């Protein structure tokens, strides 16, 4: 699968509806939504008030990435606000299972995420319990950072685990993705790529999305 999920974090919020209409016209598959709380990550983005226009103006599934402490307090509200998938960080919680169950009970897809400094092996026990794992290829918190090359081996490792067990779990990669490295990431086993600055900072965003899917 070659899924592209533009990160709305890099959109022009003064012209949000225009940017979302561009996403609708484009070959993008999902809209990636980065929620930051200023505690789990040293940055604050946006929360519930923007879920409304995302839902209203974007026709693509909303892929919510929570970079917050205590995701258990908020996952249900994101589900109710129209999320298609809700992901949170494994290293932000003590036990992800009850939180995954809360998301599942809402009929929403589940995703577990890890930052680059978390051992990828920690995801292994959950591979059959989630719809997707998200490997951060930069440290969560900001758009526009440089891709961390060590991510490639982590993708191959987790892909091999998934295949070995005959699972359908998807692999999403987030951070520093662009038209130059997308093909290599898909080839290594990624199913979905998040791209913020490489889409919204491009001269022709629709063309950039098309290129990444090739
Ligand atoms: C980083 C976010 C990413 C970010 C990606 O904390 O999770 O989704 O928006 O931005 P780029 O593609 O610019 O690295
Ligand atoms: Zn993200």
């Amino acid at each position: 699968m070659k899924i592209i999920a533009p990160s709305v974090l890099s959109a022009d919020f003064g012209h949000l509806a225009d940017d979302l209409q561009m996403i609708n016209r484009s070959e993008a598959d999902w809209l990636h939504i980065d929620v930051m709380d200023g505690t789990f990550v040293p940055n604050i983005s946006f929360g519930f008030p923007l879920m409304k226009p995302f839902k209203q103006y974007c026709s693509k599934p909303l892929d919510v990435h929570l970079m917050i402490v205590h995701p258990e307090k908020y996952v249900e509200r994101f589900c109710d606000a129209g999320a298609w998938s809700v992901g949170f960080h494994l290293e932000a919680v003590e036990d992800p299972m009850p939180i995954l169950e809360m998301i599942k009970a809402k009929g929403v897809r589940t995703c577990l995420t890890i930052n680059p400094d978390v051992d990828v092996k920690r995801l292994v026990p959950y591979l059959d319990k989630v719809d997707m794992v998200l490997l951060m290829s930069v440290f969560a918190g900001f758009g526009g950072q440089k891709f961390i090359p060590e991510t490639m081996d982590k993708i191959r490792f987790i892909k091999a685990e998934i295949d070995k067990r005959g699972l359908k779990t998807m692999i999403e990669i987030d951070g520093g993705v662009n038209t130059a490295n997308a093909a290599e990431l898909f080839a290594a086993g990624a199913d979905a790529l998040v791209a913020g600055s490489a889409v919204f900072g491009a001269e022709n965003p629709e063309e950039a999305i098309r290129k990444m899917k090739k």
Side-chain angles (χ1 to χ4, degrees), residues 83-159:
W84 177 78
S85 169
V86 171
F88 60 92
H89 279 254
L90 177 60
E91 68 273 26
V93 301
E94 241 165 63
D95 180 7
M97 283 315 298
I99 313 172
L100 293 170
E101 291 305 333
M102 290 166 94
I103 301 168
K104 271 187 213 166
K106 289 281 186 185
V108 171
R109 291 173 59 98
T110 53
C111 176
L112 256 189
T113 304
I114 54 167
N115 256 312
D117 61 349
V118 177
D119 190 343
V120 69
K121 291 193 182 79
R122 283 185 58 190
L123 284 175
V124 171
Y126 303 103
L127 288 178
D128 59 348
K129 302 188 168 56
V130 295
D131 295 297
M132 184 160 79
V133 288
L134 192 174
L135 307 181
M136 289 303 300
S137 38
V138 301
F139 280 88
F142 299 90
Q145 303 180 74
K146 218 174 133 275
F147 180 84
I148 298 174
E150 285 74 23
T151 313
M152 300 303 304
D153 283 340
K154 296 182 185 178
I155 301 172
R156 290 188 198 102
F157 169 81
I158 218 78
K159 176 69 178 164

